[in-house]
């Protein structure tokens, strides 16, 4: 028999012995090798039956004290490695989001997740309905999803009719101080972009009168990093500004009327004087003729 | 080697006393048992075990667990210590007097026979008998400790058992 094969058989017998099989059972598996295996297994059993030596408690303590004393002397000499704190790897995008979500209150967390689900659901239902065919059997389902998505999604408020192709440009800058505020409507901005939105429309006054509303534009630059909501005047402030503007215009109108009346009076006086002069001239001419 | 042991070793390498104590308590019995069957008596085994752990803590900052397990490294320290003592101050750790019944009066006869018989084996055979049968380690554990193949361990195990059988026969004949 090959020596390696016998070694494997012996190892197999020892493993069986470890599992608790009796010597007779093990030898019955290899009857041809039983005579050779038996003394070796007996020696192995004797070796396993030998109790493990137990060290004395005092020796154990003495050994530990020697170890600690050696450690103390090594520490004094600086013989140990320097402790380096393990640097955590930089957090990824998803890790940062997960961390931020964990820090939120459960209610806010639920709201955030719901919002994401609603938006994602709305997007998928709309895209699915857009790609649906007329004869598609899923068309009804797509329409249903679309309606649900429309209901769940925030509906924009209906736009007011302010004229054809009228848009509000986001490039209008907001005032950074009340001094920059101007109550004048500077002009229309058309979608085709043909007219410069910064160029005042010549007919702006008429349009203001027709619409009956007042448009506010702002001049000046918005400070960098400033929240527009903090800069936009409140409704009360706008109303107060409107009232001031109205009063100012009324005063100006009164002044204009007074001025026109004065001029009319002057013209009337002048006309009277001219008439008197002509009369006097005519009288002089008549006297000369005589 | 598991993560806990790696962490424990790292802490001990940086001078953590608690970690060093844990390592000592975890591996002391293995080293003591190994030394017990390599040297003359229990007292010497205890003395040598303490010396092994002192050497362990001195060399620990240089230990890397890439090539060898910690226990195998401890066994290497223990083996080197025994060889060193044998070659210098104690050329014969087992004297003929030790093999007499009077010297080992505290042992039972079977244990005494085994102890005397095992001391007649060579280092490799002695190690494998102690690890495999006294400590109850598996062949896979021995592969890690001795850095030999499974087949070599099986072959050595066969040889060690045969040698022990012969040695036991001699001891009982005394």
């Amino acid at each position: 028999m090959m020596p390696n094969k016998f070694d494997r058989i012996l190892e197999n017998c020892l493993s069986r012995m470890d599992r608790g099989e009796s010597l007779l059972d093990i030898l019955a598996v290899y009857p041809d090798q039983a005579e050779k295996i038996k003394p070796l297994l007996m020696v192995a059993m004797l070796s396993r039956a030998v109790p493990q030596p137990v060290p004395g408690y005092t020796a154990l303590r003495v050994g530990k004290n020697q170890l600690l004393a050696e450690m103390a002397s090594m520490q004094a000499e600086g013989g140990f490695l320097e402790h380096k704190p393990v640097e955590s790897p930089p957090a990824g995008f998803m890790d940062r989001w997960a961390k931020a979500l964990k820090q939120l209150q459960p209610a806010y967390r639920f709201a955030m997740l719901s919002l994401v689900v609603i938006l994602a659901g709305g997007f998928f239902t709309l895209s699915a309905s857009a790609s649906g065919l007329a004869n598609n059997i899923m068309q009804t389902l797509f329409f249903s999803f679309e309606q649900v998505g429309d209901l769940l999604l925030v509906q924009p408020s209906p736009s007011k009719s302010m004229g054809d192709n009228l848009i509000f440009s986001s490039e209008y800058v907001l005032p950074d101080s009340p001094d920059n505020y101007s109550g004048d409507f500077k002009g229309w901005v058309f979608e085709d972009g043909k007219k410069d939105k910064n160029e005042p429309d010549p007919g702006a006054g008429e349009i203001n009168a027709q619409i009956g509303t007042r448009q506010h534009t702002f001049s000046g630059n918005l400070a960098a990093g400033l929240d527009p909501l903090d800069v936009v005047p409140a409704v009360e402030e706008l109303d107060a500004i409107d009232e001031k503007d109205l009063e100012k215009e009324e005063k100006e109108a009164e002044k204009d009327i007074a001025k026109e009346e004065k001029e009319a009076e002057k013209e009337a006086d002048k006309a009277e004087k001219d008439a008197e002069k002509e009369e006097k001239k005519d009288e002089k001419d008549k006297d000369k003729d005589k | 080697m598991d993560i806990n042991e790696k962490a424990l070793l790292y802490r001990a390498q940086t001078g953590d006393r608690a970690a060093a104590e844990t390592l000592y308590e975890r591996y002391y019995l293995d080293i003591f048992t190994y030394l017990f069957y390599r040297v003359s008596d229990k007292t010497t085994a205890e003395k040598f075990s303490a010396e092994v752990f002192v050497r362990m803590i001195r060399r620990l900052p240089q230990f890397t667990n890439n090539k060898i397990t910690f226990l195998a490294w401890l066994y290497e320290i223990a083996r080197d210590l025994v060889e060193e003592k044998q070659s210098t101050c104690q050329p014969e750790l087992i004297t003929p007097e030790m093999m007499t019944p009077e010297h080992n009066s505290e042992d039972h006869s079977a244990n005494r026979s085994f102890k005397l018989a095992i001391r007649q084996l060579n280092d490799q055979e002695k190690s494998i008998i102690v690890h495999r049968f006294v400590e109850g380690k598996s062949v896979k554990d021995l592969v890690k400790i001795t850095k030999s193949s499974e087949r070599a361990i099986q072959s050595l195990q066969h040889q060690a058992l045969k040698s022990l059988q012969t040695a036991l026969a001699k001891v009982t004949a005394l």
Side-chain angles (χ1 to χ4, degrees), chain B residues 83-169:
Chain B
E83 284 172 3
E84 189 185 303
K85 299 282 183 189
Q86 277 176 341
S87 64
T88 55
C89 32
Q90 290 168 296
E92 285 290 327
L93 286 171
I94 303 169
T95 56
E97 292 80 32
M98 288 173 189
M99 296 180 76
T100 59
E102 291 77 22
H103 186 81
N104 299 293
S105 56
E106 75 265 22
D107 293 341
H108 296 290
S109 59
N111 292 350
R112 190 175 64 241
S113 301
F114 176 79
K115 203 171 164 183
L116 294 174
I118 201 171
R119 282 169 184 165
Q120 294 179 32
L121 308 182
N122 66 34
D123 283 350
Q124 275 193 325
E125 291 169 350
K126 215 180 279 182
S127 296
I128 205 148
I129 293 290
V130 171
H131 292 319
R132 183 81 175 91
F133 302 110
V134 178
E135 294 176 349
K137 288 186 167 62
S138 67
V139 172
K140 285 182 181 175
D141 291 334
L142 289 176
V143 167
K144 287 179 189 172
I145 291 168
T146 59
K147 292 184 282 181
S148 304
S149 67
E150 201 164 320
R151 189 172 286 182
I153 298 288
Q154 285 175 358
S155 176
L156 188 61
Q157 175 179 259
H158 176 205
Q159 184 61 41
L161 282 172
K162 272 173 80 174
S163 300
L164 186 62
Q165 183 191 358
T166 313
L168 276 168

Side-chain angles (χ1 to χ4, degrees), chain A residues 192-214:
Chain A
D192 56 10
K194 284 178 183 174
K195 282 198 173 185
D196 184 3
K197 53 184 172 291
N198 294 322
E199 185 181 334
D201 188 80
E206 288 179 22
I207 295 163
N208 272 340
Q210 284 172 10
I211 294 170
T213 57
R214 188 170 289 276

Side-chain angles (χ1 to χ4, degrees), chain B residues 17-134:
Chain B
R17 288 166 61 97
E21 281 183 54
T22 309
L23 287 174
Y24 178 83
E25 285 159 11
R26 188 178 286 184
Y27 294 111
Y28 183 86
L29 194 61
D30 287 320
I31 296 301
F32 172 77
T33 308
Y34 174 78
L35 287 169
F36 181 79
Y37 290 103
R38 298 287 300 267
V39 296
S40 57
D41 58 346
K42 187 180 164 184
T43 312
T44 313
E46 286 169 348
K47 190 181 158 192
F48 280 16
S49 300
E51 178 64 23
V52 165
F53 281 94
V54 168
R55 289 187 181 195
M56 177 271 286
I57 206 71
R58 276 187 209 145
R59 298 178 192 175
L60 194 58
Q62 286 83 43
F63 173 72
T64 52
N65 49 22
N66 298 330
K67 294 176 184 174
I68 192 170
T69 63
F70 182 68
L71 183 59
W73 184 64
L74 279 180
Y75 279 130
E76 271 187 8
I77 295 174
R79 192 187 61 228
D80 291 347
L81 179 71
V82 172
E83 284 172 3
E84 189 185 303
K85 299 282 183 189
Q86 277 176 341
S87 64
T88 55
C89 32
Q90 290 168 296
E92 285 290 327
L93 286 171
I94 303 169
T95 56
E97 292 80 32
M98 288 173 189
M99 296 180 76
T100 59
E102 291 77 22
H103 186 81
N104 299 293
S105 56
E106 75 265 22
D107 293 341
H108 296 290
S109 59
N111 292 350
R112 190 175 64 241
S113 301
F114 176 79
K115 203 171 164 183
L116 294 174
I118 201 171
R119 282 169 184 165
Q120 294 179 32
L121 308 182
N122 66 34
D123 283 350
Q124 275 193 325
E125 291 169 350
K126 215 180 279 182
S127 296
I128 205 148
I129 293 290
V130 171
H131 292 319
R132 183 81 175 91
F133 302 110
V134 178

Side-chain angles (χ1 to χ4, degrees), chain A residues 155-172:
Chain A
Q155 292 289 330
S157 58
S159 57
K160 289 176 183 176
S161 166
M162 295 291 286
D164 294 334
N165 299 325
L166 176 65
I167 60 165
F168 289 96
S169 169
S170 61
E171 291 181 28
Y172 277 4

Side-chain angles (χ1 to χ4, degrees), chain A residues 7 11 56 60 64 75 81, chain B residues 13 15 24-25 46 157-158:
Chain A
D7 295 341
E11 173 55 31
L60 203 63
K64 192 186 274 189
Q75 267 169 343
L81 297 178
Chain B
Q13 282 177 323
Y24 178 83
E25 285 159 11
E46 286 169 348
Q157 175 179 259
H158 176 205

Side-chain angles (χ1 to χ4, degrees), chain A residues 219-280:
Chain A
S219 61
N221 292 322
L222 183 64
L226 203 60
D227 189 356
L229 291 173
D230 295 334
V231 180
V232 173
V235 177
E236 291 81 7
E237 289 174 14
L238 286 172
D239 290 339
I241 292 164
D242 284 347
E243 284 175 11
K244 282 181 184 176
D245 290 342
L246 285 170
E247 286 174 6
K248 192 179 175 184
E249 284 186 0
E250 282 173 4
K251 283 178 183 176
E252 282 177 357
E254 285 174 2
K255 281 180 185 176
D256 289 342
I257 291 165
K259 197 177 178 182
E260 283 174 4
E261 284 176 356
K262 280 182 181 178
E263 284 176 356
E265 283 177 3
K266 280 180 183 177
E267 283 177 1
D269 291 341
K270 196 179 178 183
E272 282 179 9
K273 283 177 183 177
D274 290 343
E276 284 176 5
K277 281 179 182 177
E278 281 180 1
E279 282 177 5
K280 284 177 182 177

